[in-house]
Amino acid sequence: MMRIAGFLDNSLVNGVGIRSVVFVSGCNHNCDGCHNKEMQDYNYGDEVEIDDVFERIKSNVPLISGVTFSGGEPFDSAKELAILADKVKSIGLNLWCYTGYTYEEILHSDDEAKIILLNKVDVLVDGKFDKNLTEDAPKYVGSSNQRIIDVEKSMYEKRVVEVIL
Ligand code: SF4
């Protein structure tokens, strides 16, 4: 089971291509100007079966090219999302994940579940939202401090490699 705050069948603004989006409940980052304030509550939304979320995702194939985890804070539900991530990847979909943590915070976390989830993500959009840095924010990010990171390349090269769009 996992708690989700919302679901979009097909979105064009949460990563490259047409994507299904899973919004996870709960977030502690408390960014000033958060657009999803109600989703900060860990009790917001619905308790659902992970398999049911996956079935809903599958119902959008082949229209979608990938899935995006957003929130809320996906890495605070890392254990559940790692299970869903495996299912998503098993049918050839790519995986983006938005997080208020930085890549480095996740990579050096004491919480093994967070690191396991990070390894399953293709593209990580990291960092807290900063309402003072929205003007020059590139596509797919909320504020210009956030990075769009190629996780596999970053792990391989042991440095942050950003995606060139
Ligand atoms: S990380 Fe996202 S959901 Fe959490 S407070 Fe910041 S903007 Fe809101």
Side-chain angles (χ1 to χ4, degrees), residues 26-31 33-37 39-40 71-73 99-101 127-129:
C27 180
N28 272 327
H29 296 299
N30 204 21
C31 307
C34 171
H35 292 293
N36 296 336
K37 229 171 170 39
M39 296 183 192
Q40 292 181 12
E73 174 49 65
T99 178
Y101 296 109
K128 287 177 68 166
F129 172 70

PDB file of all heavy atoms in Angstrom, residues 26-31 33-37 39-40 71-73 99-101 127-129, ligand 1:
ATOM      1  N   GLY A  26       2.738  13.867   1.456  1.00  0.00           N
ATOM      2  CA  GLY A  26       3.675  14.129   2.538  1.00  0.00           C
ATOM      3  C   GLY A  26       4.972  14.764   2.105  1.00  0.00           C
ATOM      4  O   GLY A  26       5.613  14.312   1.161  1.00  0.00           O
ATOM      5  N   CYS A  27       5.342  15.858   2.790  1.00  0.00           N
ATOM      6  CA  CYS A  27       6.609  16.529   2.497  1.00  0.00           C
ATOM      7  C   CYS A  27       6.970  17.422   3.675  1.00  0.00           C
ATOM      8  O   CYS A  27       6.119  18.128   4.215  1.00  0.00           O
ATOM      9  CB  CYS A  27       6.470  17.369   1.229  1.00  0.00           C
ATOM     10  SG  CYS A  27       7.995  18.238   0.806  1.00  0.00           S
ATOM     11  N   ASN A  28       8.237  17.379   4.058  1.00  0.00           N
ATOM     12  CA  ASN A  28       8.717  18.185   5.188  1.00  0.00           C
ATOM     13  C   ASN A  28       9.556  19.381   4.770  1.00  0.00           C
ATOM     14  O   ASN A  28      10.060  20.099   5.619  1.00  0.00           O
ATOM     15  CB  ASN A  28       9.589  17.304   6.116  1.00  0.00           C
ATOM     16  CG  ASN A  28       8.753  16.594   7.154  1.00  0.00           C
ATOM     17  OD1 ASN A  28       7.736  17.129   7.607  1.00  0.00           O
ATOM     18  ND2 ASN A  28       9.154  15.387   7.514  1.00  0.00           N
ATOM     19  N   HIS A  29       9.752  19.583   3.469  1.00  0.00           N
ATOM     20  CA  HIS A  29      10.685  20.626   3.045  1.00  0.00           C
ATOM     21  C   HIS A  29      10.157  22.040   3.286  1.00  0.00           C
ATOM     22  O   HIS A  29      10.930  22.978   3.448  1.00  0.00           O
ATOM     23  CB  HIS A  29      11.046  20.448   1.569  1.00  0.00           C
ATOM     24  CG  HIS A  29      11.771  19.177   1.281  1.00  0.00           C
ATOM     25  ND1 HIS A  29      12.985  18.874   1.828  1.00  0.00           N
ATOM     26  CD2 HIS A  29      11.417  18.095   0.516  1.00  0.00           C
ATOM     27  CE1 HIS A  29      13.376  17.673   1.404  1.00  0.00           C
ATOM     28  NE2 HIS A  29      12.442  17.187   0.609  1.00  0.00           N
ATOM     29  N   ASN A  30       8.816  22.157   3.261  1.00  0.00           N
ATOM     30  CA  ASN A  30       8.185  23.432   3.601  1.00  0.00           C
ATOM     31  C   ASN A  30       8.735  24.616   2.803  1.00  0.00           C
ATOM     32  O   ASN A  30       9.040  25.678   3.364  1.00  0.00           O
ATOM     33  CB  ASN A  30       8.352  23.683   5.115  1.00  0.00           C
ATOM     34  CG  ASN A  30       7.279  24.606   5.646  1.00  0.00           C
ATOM     35  OD1 ASN A  30       6.214  24.744   5.021  1.00  0.00           O
ATOM     36  ND2 ASN A  30       7.548  25.247   6.759  1.00  0.00           N
ATOM     37  N   CYS A  31       8.872  24.429   1.488  1.00  0.00           N
ATOM     38  CA  CYS A  31       9.375  25.514   0.633  1.00  0.00           C
ATOM     39  C   CYS A  31       8.409  26.696   0.665  1.00  0.00           C
ATOM     40  O   CYS A  31       7.192  26.503   0.577  1.00  0.00           O
ATOM     41  CB  CYS A  31       9.507  25.037  -0.815  1.00  0.00           C
ATOM     42  SG  CYS A  31      10.459  23.542  -1.037  1.00  0.00           S
ATOM     43  N   GLY A  33       6.297  29.267  -0.839  1.00  0.00           N
ATOM     44  CA  GLY A  33       5.698  29.393  -2.171  1.00  0.00           C
ATOM     45  C   GLY A  33       5.349  28.056  -2.804  1.00  0.00           C
ATOM     46  O   GLY A  33       5.071  28.004  -3.993  1.00  0.00           O
ATOM     47  N   CYS A  34       5.362  26.998  -2.013  1.00  0.00           N
ATOM     48  CA  CYS A  34       4.994  25.653  -2.499  1.00  0.00           C
ATOM     49  C   CYS A  34       3.629  25.687  -3.182  1.00  0.00           C
ATOM     50  O   CYS A  34       2.666  26.231  -2.650  1.00  0.00           O
ATOM     51  CB  CYS A  34       4.952  24.697  -1.311  1.00  0.00           C
ATOM     52  SG  CYS A  34       4.257  23.074  -1.705  1.00  0.00           S
ATOM     53  N   HIS A  35       3.564  25.097  -4.385  1.00  0.00           N
ATOM     54  CA  HIS A  35       2.308  25.084  -5.141  1.00  0.00           C
ATOM     55  C   HIS A  35       1.411  23.910  -4.720  1.00  0.00           C
ATOM     56  O   HIS A  35       0.253  23.854  -5.102  1.00  0.00           O
ATOM     57  CB  HIS A  35       2.591  24.972  -6.640  1.00  0.00           C
ATOM     58  CG  HIS A  35       3.247  26.186  -7.215  1.00  0.00           C
ATOM     59  ND1 HIS A  35       2.609  27.403  -7.312  1.00  0.00           N
ATOM     60  CD2 HIS A  35       4.495  26.381  -7.692  1.00  0.00           C
ATOM     61  CE1 HIS A  35       3.433  28.292  -7.846  1.00  0.00           C
ATOM     62  NE2 HIS A  35       4.588  27.694  -8.072  1.00  0.00           N
ATOM     63  N   ASN A  36       1.960  22.963  -4.001  1.00  0.00           N
ATOM     64  CA  ASN A  36       1.194  21.760  -3.635  1.00  0.00           C
ATOM     65  C   ASN A  36       1.093  21.633  -2.111  1.00  0.00           C
ATOM     66  O   ASN A  36       1.313  20.567  -1.555  1.00  0.00           O
ATOM     67  CB  ASN A  36       1.875  20.502  -4.215  1.00  0.00           C
ATOM     68  CG  ASN A  36       1.884  20.498  -5.717  1.00  0.00           C
ATOM     69  OD1 ASN A  36       1.055  21.134  -6.357  1.00  0.00           O
ATOM     70  ND2 ASN A  36       2.837  19.792  -6.303  1.00  0.00           N
ATOM     71  N   LYS A  37       0.742  22.739  -1.466  1.00  0.00           N
ATOM     72  CA  LYS A  37       0.770  22.799  -0.004  1.00  0.00           C
ATOM     73  C   LYS A  37      -0.047  21.698   0.667  1.00  0.00           C
ATOM     74  O   LYS A  37       0.375  21.115   1.665  1.00  0.00           O
ATOM     75  CB  LYS A  37       0.276  24.173   0.459  1.00  0.00           C
ATOM     76  CG  LYS A  37       1.228  24.769   1.479  1.00  0.00           C
ATOM     77  CD  LYS A  37       0.925  26.195   1.820  1.00  0.00           C
ATOM     78  CE  LYS A  37       1.725  26.688   2.999  1.00  0.00           C
ATOM     79  NZ  LYS A  37       3.090  26.255   3.105  1.00  0.00           N
ATOM     80  N   MET A  39      -0.476  18.818  -0.268  1.00  0.00           N
ATOM     81  CA  MET A  39       0.222  17.534  -0.383  1.00  0.00           C
ATOM     82  C   MET A  39       1.363  17.394   0.621  1.00  0.00           C
ATOM     83  O   MET A  39       2.002  16.355   0.698  1.00  0.00           O
ATOM     84  CB  MET A  39       0.768  17.349  -1.811  1.00  0.00           C
ATOM     85  CG  MET A  39      -0.311  17.276  -2.862  1.00  0.00           C
ATOM     86  SD  MET A  39       0.376  16.963  -4.499  1.00  0.00           S
ATOM     87  CE  MET A  39      -1.055  17.306  -5.532  1.00  0.00           C
ATOM     88  N   GLN A  40       1.638  18.451   1.396  1.00  0.00           N
ATOM     89  CA  GLN A  40       2.663  18.349   2.444  1.00  0.00           C
ATOM     90  C   GLN A  40       2.189  17.454   3.595  1.00  0.00           C
ATOM     91  O   GLN A  40       2.993  16.924   4.350  1.00  0.00           O
ATOM     92  CB  GLN A  40       3.010  19.733   2.992  1.00  0.00           C
ATOM     93  CG  GLN A  40       3.735  20.620   1.999  1.00  0.00           C
ATOM     94  CD  GLN A  40       4.089  21.982   2.584  1.00  0.00           C
ATOM     95  OE1 GLN A  40       3.998  22.218   3.787  1.00  0.00           O
ATOM     96  NE2 GLN A  40       4.464  22.911   1.719  1.00  0.00           N
ATOM     97  N   GLY A  71       5.224  15.243  -5.909  1.00  0.00           N
ATOM     98  CA  GLY A  71       4.548  15.262  -4.608  1.00  0.00           C
ATOM     99  C   GLY A  71       4.197  16.672  -4.199  1.00  0.00           C
ATOM    100  O   GLY A  71       4.036  17.548  -5.052  1.00  0.00           O
ATOM    101  N   GLY A  72       4.245  16.724  -2.859  1.00  0.00           N
ATOM    102  CA  GLY A  72       4.814  15.853  -1.833  1.00  0.00           C
ATOM    103  C   GLY A  72       6.305  15.531  -2.075  1.00  0.00           C
ATOM    104  O   GLY A  72       6.913  16.075  -2.953  1.00  0.00           O
ATOM    105  N   GLU A  73       6.826  14.676  -1.235  1.00  0.00           N
ATOM    106  CA  GLU A  73       8.234  14.291  -1.355  1.00  0.00           C
ATOM    107  C   GLU A  73       8.330  12.793  -1.654  1.00  0.00           C
ATOM    108  O   GLU A  73       8.190  11.960  -0.744  1.00  0.00           O
ATOM    109  CB  GLU A  73       8.983  14.625  -0.061  1.00  0.00           C
ATOM    110  CG  GLU A  73      10.417  14.135  -0.016  1.00  0.00           C
ATOM    111  CD  GLU A  73      11.226  14.476  -1.255  1.00  0.00           C
ATOM    112  OE1 GLU A  73      11.453  15.655  -1.502  1.00  0.00           O
ATOM    113  OE2 GLU A  73      11.619  13.536  -2.003  1.00  0.00           O
ATOM    114  N   THR A  99      12.193  15.958  -6.468  1.00  0.00           N
ATOM    115  CA  THR A  99      12.453  15.865  -5.031  1.00  0.00           C
ATOM    116  C   THR A  99      12.920  17.197  -4.476  1.00  0.00           C
ATOM    117  O   THR A  99      13.575  17.974  -5.187  1.00  0.00           O
ATOM    118  CB  THR A  99      13.527  14.794  -4.748  1.00  0.00           C
ATOM    119  OG1 THR A  99      13.783  14.774  -3.329  1.00  0.00           O
ATOM    120  CG2 THR A  99      14.835  15.050  -5.473  1.00  0.00           C
ATOM    121  N   GLY A 100      12.593  17.446  -3.209  1.00  0.00           N
ATOM    122  CA  GLY A 100      13.105  18.634  -2.529  1.00  0.00           C
ATOM    123  C   GLY A 100      14.500  18.414  -1.958  1.00  0.00           C
ATOM    124  O   GLY A 100      15.173  19.353  -1.547  1.00  0.00           O
ATOM    125  N   TYR A 101      14.926  17.144  -1.884  1.00  0.00           N
ATOM    126  CA  TYR A 101      16.301  16.854  -1.468  1.00  0.00           C
ATOM    127  C   TYR A 101      17.238  17.147  -2.635  1.00  0.00           C
ATOM    128  O   TYR A 101      16.832  17.108  -3.795  1.00  0.00           O
ATOM    129  CB  TYR A 101      16.456  15.371  -1.093  1.00  0.00           C
ATOM    130  CG  TYR A 101      15.638  14.930   0.090  1.00  0.00           C
ATOM    131  CD1 TYR A 101      14.533  14.093  -0.072  1.00  0.00           C
ATOM    132  CD2 TYR A 101      15.967  15.338   1.380  1.00  0.00           C
ATOM    133  CE1 TYR A 101      13.780  13.671   1.018  1.00  0.00           C
ATOM    134  CE2 TYR A 101      15.217  14.918   2.481  1.00  0.00           C
ATOM    135  CZ  TYR A 101      14.125  14.085   2.285  1.00  0.00           C
ATOM    136  OH  TYR A 101      13.381  13.679   3.359  1.00  0.00           O
ATOM    137  N   GLY A 127      16.228  19.480  -5.481  1.00  0.00           N
ATOM    138  CA  GLY A 127      16.329  20.742  -4.753  1.00  0.00           C
ATOM    139  C   GLY A 127      14.994  21.362  -4.399  1.00  0.00           C
ATOM    140  O   GLY A 127      13.986  21.150  -5.083  1.00  0.00           O
ATOM    141  N   LYS A 128      15.026  22.149  -3.324  1.00  0.00           N
ATOM    142  CA  LYS A 128      13.806  22.815  -2.871  1.00  0.00           C
ATOM    143  C   LYS A 128      13.368  23.890  -3.864  1.00  0.00           C
ATOM    144  O   LYS A 128      14.207  24.487  -4.547  1.00  0.00           O
ATOM    145  CB  LYS A 128      14.054  23.453  -1.496  1.00  0.00           C
ATOM    146  CG  LYS A 128      14.132  22.435  -0.365  1.00  0.00           C
ATOM    147  CD  LYS A 128      14.453  23.099   0.961  1.00  0.00           C
ATOM    148  CE  LYS A 128      13.325  23.967   1.454  1.00  0.00           C
ATOM    149  NZ  LYS A 128      13.490  24.343   2.879  1.00  0.00           N
ATOM    150  N   PHE A 129      12.082  24.133  -3.910  1.00  0.00           N
ATOM    151  CA  PHE A 129      11.557  25.226  -4.733  1.00  0.00           C
ATOM    152  C   PHE A 129      11.899  26.551  -4.067  1.00  0.00           C
ATOM    153  O   PHE A 129      11.742  26.709  -2.853  1.00  0.00           O
ATOM    154  CB  PHE A 129      10.033  25.080  -4.870  1.00  0.00           C
ATOM    155  CG  PHE A 129       9.373  26.244  -5.528  1.00  0.00           C
ATOM    156  CD1 PHE A 129       9.572  26.490  -6.880  1.00  0.00           C
ATOM    157  CD2 PHE A 129       8.562  27.120  -4.810  1.00  0.00           C
ATOM    158  CE1 PHE A 129       8.968  27.573  -7.506  1.00  0.00           C
ATOM    159  CE2 PHE A 129       7.948  28.201  -5.423  1.00  0.00           C
ATOM    160  CZ  PHE A 129       8.159  28.430  -6.762  1.00  0.00           C
TER     161      PHE A 129
HETATM  162  S1  SF4 B   1       9.463  19.971  -1.985  1.00  0.00           S
HETATM  163 FE1  SF4 B   1       7.733  20.382  -3.350  1.00  0.00          FE
HETATM  164  S2  SF4 B   1       5.931  19.659  -2.217  1.00  0.00           S
HETATM  165 FE2  SF4 B   1       7.600  19.843  -0.741  1.00  0.00          FE
HETATM  166  S3  SF4 B   1       7.332  21.890   0.141  1.00  0.00           S
HETATM  167 FE3  SF4 B   1       8.803  22.040  -1.540  1.00  0.00          FE
HETATM  168  S4  SF4 B   1       7.582  22.610  -3.337  1.00  0.00           S
HETATM  169 FE4  SF4 B   1       6.172  21.836  -1.765  1.00  0.00          FE
END
